[in-house]
């Protein structure tokens, strides 16, 4: 039901039940430092720190200013603590500014909260991922062995994985596109208390590379639940997992060319369409498996650069794989007569972010 309380009542409730953790989440979602928020509401950074830590409570007038500055409804601040999430697995912590990391993590919390609300109304698949921990020394398991076991766990038949996002969602993973504020960050993943989440870059409009991204993040989710995010070793392991998961060595090695002479590029183009992976991934796979030598690999990458294929490869498929778990749940509610505003009523959650998280297609930053 739509919240029928007067604005003064809403502000009073928000001030009385103010939760500082939700202020942190709203600030991070807005991509603001504490000092920036403080300046926007003409208060001190120390006040913002005190509200977020819970040592002080803002009054009604301040709650109204915070809501306006952060573009949320006042009742957003009076909800329970945001969902707990593990630190996201970013491709490179060193090249990702802290404020962008915070915004991406806050978006993960937002997605987790939305997913929990939707799951109260619509049945979701159980969260069933294999637990295949791979440590830095790979003493008990290698990424390739983890990928082979994962294919078996998911019941993947020999040959290409037909739809990587659908496979992840059937295992209970929430897959969404990121909001435009963190579009500069590549795909990332995180574990939550309820179910894991994969967040895809909305700008990377490439079917083949997107599939590798999903497999890479799936590798993190099954191998690195306790690993420190962003480390070079973990990222290399996730790439090796994705390569084996999408292109099992025993199945693809006999078909990979040893060089790019003759009709090798045509051969690679056919393999690209059959396996649903990029030319770059195929070339890297050929070198990693010892089919292609270093010199031939370097020559191939030079050719890729000369043709502009390092940025945009040719390919027959232009439509991305689409998430369906959250979008379908939203559609079910709409078909039942429950629109976005009614669904979100009382939560204070952003309808704009909800539409992005529950969309089948990426939201372009240019659309803002």
């Amino acid at each position: 039901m739509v919240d029928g309380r007067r604005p003064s009542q809403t502000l009073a409730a928000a001030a009385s039940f103010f939760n500082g953790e939700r202020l942190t989440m709203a600030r991070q979602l807005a991509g603001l430092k504490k000092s920036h928020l403080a300046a926007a509401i003409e208060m001190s950074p120390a006040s913002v720190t005190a509200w977020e830590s819970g040592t002080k409570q803002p009054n009604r007038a301040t709650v109204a200013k915070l809501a306006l500055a952060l573009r949320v409804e006042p009742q957003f601040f009076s909800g329970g603590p945001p969902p707990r999430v593990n630190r996201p697995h970013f491709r490179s912590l060193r090249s990702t500014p802290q404020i962008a990391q915070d915004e991406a993590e806050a978006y993960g919390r937002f997605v987790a909260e939305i997913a929990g609300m939707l799951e109260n109304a619509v049945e979701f698949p159980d969260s069933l991922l294999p637990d295949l921990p791979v440590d830095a020394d790979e003493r008990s398991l290698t990424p390739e062995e983890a990928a082979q076991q994962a294919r078996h766990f998911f019941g993947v038949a020999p040959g290409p994985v037909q739809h990587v996002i659908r496979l992840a969602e059937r295992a209970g993973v929430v897959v969404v596109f990121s909001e435009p504020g963190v579009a500069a960050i590549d795909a990332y993943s995180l574990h939550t208390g309820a179910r894991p989440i994969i967040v895809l870059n909305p700008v990377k409009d490439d079917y083949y590379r997107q599939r590798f991204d999903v497999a890479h993040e799936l590798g993190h989710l099954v191998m690195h639940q306790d690993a420190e995010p962003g480390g070079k070793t973990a990222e290399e392991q996730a790439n090796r997992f994705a390569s084996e998961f999408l292109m099992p060595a025993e199945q693809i090695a006999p078909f990979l060319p040893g060089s790019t002479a003759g009709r090798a590029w045509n051969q690679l183009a056919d393999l690209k369409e059959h396996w649903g992976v990029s030319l770059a991934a195929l070339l890297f796979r050929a070198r990693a498996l010892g089919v292609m030598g270093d010199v031939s690999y370097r020559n191939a990458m030079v050719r890729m650069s000369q043709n502009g294929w390092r940025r945009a490869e040719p390919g027959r498929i232009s439509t991305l794989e689409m998430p369906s778990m959250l979008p379908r749940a939203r559609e079910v509610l709409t078909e039942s007569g429950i629109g976005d505003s009614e669904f979100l009523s009382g939560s204070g959650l952003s309808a704009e972010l909800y539409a992005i998280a529950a969309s089948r297609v990426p939201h372009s930053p240019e659309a803002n």
Side-chain angles (χ1 to χ4, degrees):
M1 294 179 62
V2 176
D3 192 338
R5 292 180 296 182
R6 296 193 301 272
S8 60
Q9 293 175 319
T10 300
L11 281 173
S16 298
F17 300 102
F18 191 87
N19 187 310
E21 292 181 68
R22 297 191 72 79
L23 173 58
T24 303
M25 177 179 167
R27 175 179 59 78
Q28 291 176 339
L29 273 173
L32 296 178
K33 296 180 179 179
K34 293 178 183 178
S35 58
H36 296 155
L37 176 57
I41 63 172
E42 299 181 330
M43 298 287 282
S44 70
S47 294
V48 176
T49 297
W51 299 329
E52 292 191 3
S53 67
T55 57
K56 290 186 179 180
Q57 297 283 101
N59 59 30
R60 281 186 284 181
T62 303
V63 169
K65 289 181 181 179
L66 289 169
L68 185 63
L70 296 173
R71 299 175 63 186
V72 298
E73 298 297 325
Q75 56 265 42
F76 176 85
F77 301 118
S78 60
R84 299 297 179 191
V85 302
N86 288 2
R87 288 185 63 198
H89 285 282
F90 298 116
R91 299 298 168 86
S92 175
L93 286 177
R94 188 172 299 175
S95 63
T96 306
Q98 185 61 50
I99 195 166
Q101 293 181 40
D102 291 342
E103 187 172 352
E105 186 172 331
Y107 182 67
R109 286 194 172 94
F110 176 88
V111 171
E113 189 161 343
I114 285 293
M117 291 170 60
L118 286 169
E119 194 166 4
N120 286 332
V122 179
E123 185 176 359
F124 282 174
D126 291 336
S127 181
L128 293 173
L129 284 181
D131 184 19
L132 303 168
V134 175
D135 59 27
D137 296 328
E138 301 177 15
R139 287 169 292 189
S140 58
L141 197 67
T142 67
E144 289 78 13
E145 290 167 342
Q148 293 159 12
Q149 291 186 34
R151 281 179 68 102
H152 177 74
F153 179 90
F154 293 128
V156 179
V161 179
Q162 296 302 318
H163 199 297
V164 189
I165 289 182
R166 190 170 298 142
L167 178 148
E169 290 188 322
R170 280 201 301 263
V173 180
V174 174
V175 182
V176 299
F177 289 104
S178 74
E179 49 101 359
V182 289
I185 296 178
D186 218 329
Y188 62 98
S189 56
L190 60 165
H191 280 278
T192 76
R195 55 180 66 245
I197 295 172
I198 292 176
V199 182
L200 300 176
N201 188 317
V203 177
K204 189 180 283 189
D205 189 19
D206 187 300
Y207 164 84
Y208 308 91
R209 289 191 168 104
Q210 182 211 54
R211 282 168 51 85
F212 195 93
D213 282 349
V214 177
H216 176 106
E217 299 307 327
L218 196 59
H220 279 313
L221 292 175
V222 303
M223 296 190 301
H224 298 143
Q225 186 163 352
D226 298 320
E228 185 68 19
K232 183 178 179 181
T233 298
E235 290 305 309
E236 289 177 348
Q237 288 177 341
N239 280 334
R240 288 164 55 192
F241 175 97
S243 292
E244 180 66 23
F245 190 77
L246 296 176
M247 301 169 281
E250 289 187 0
Q251 299 178 39
I252 199 168
F255 302 99
L256 290 169
S259 73
T260 53
R263 292 185 52 80
W265 285 108
N266 298 80
Q267 184 180 348
L268 286 165
D270 290 341
L271 289 172
K272 170 175 180 162
E273 303 304 333
H274 179 72
W275 291 95
V277 295
S278 67
L279 293 173
L282 285 165
L283 290 168
F284 187 86
R285 191 70 169 141
R287 184 180 69 164
L289 294 177
V291 175
M292 184 176 288
D294 289 343
V295 173
S296 294
Y297 176 78
R298 284 198 297 271
N299 290 339
M301 297 312 287
V302 168
R303 175 74 179 275
M304 291 273 290
S305 296
Q306 291 172 340
N307 291 344
W309 294 347
R310 298 291 291 271
R311 288 177 296 177
E313 292 184 9
R316 298 172 198 163
I317 303 176
S318 59
T319 303
L320 296 172
E321 289 187 355
M322 299 180 186
S324 61
M325 185 189 295
L326 298 195
R328 183 54 190 150
R330 182 188 183 199
E331 291 163 4
V332 168
L333 290 177
T334 302
E335 291 164 3
S336 301
I338 302 173
D340 291 357
S341 59
E342 185 174 359
F343 171 67
L344 297 172
S345 176
S347 70
L349 293 171
S350 166
E352 180 182 356
L353 283 185
Y354 171 54
I356 291 171
S359 175
R360 295 180 186 274
V361 297
H363 181 87
S364 170
E366 290 75 20
N368 272 4

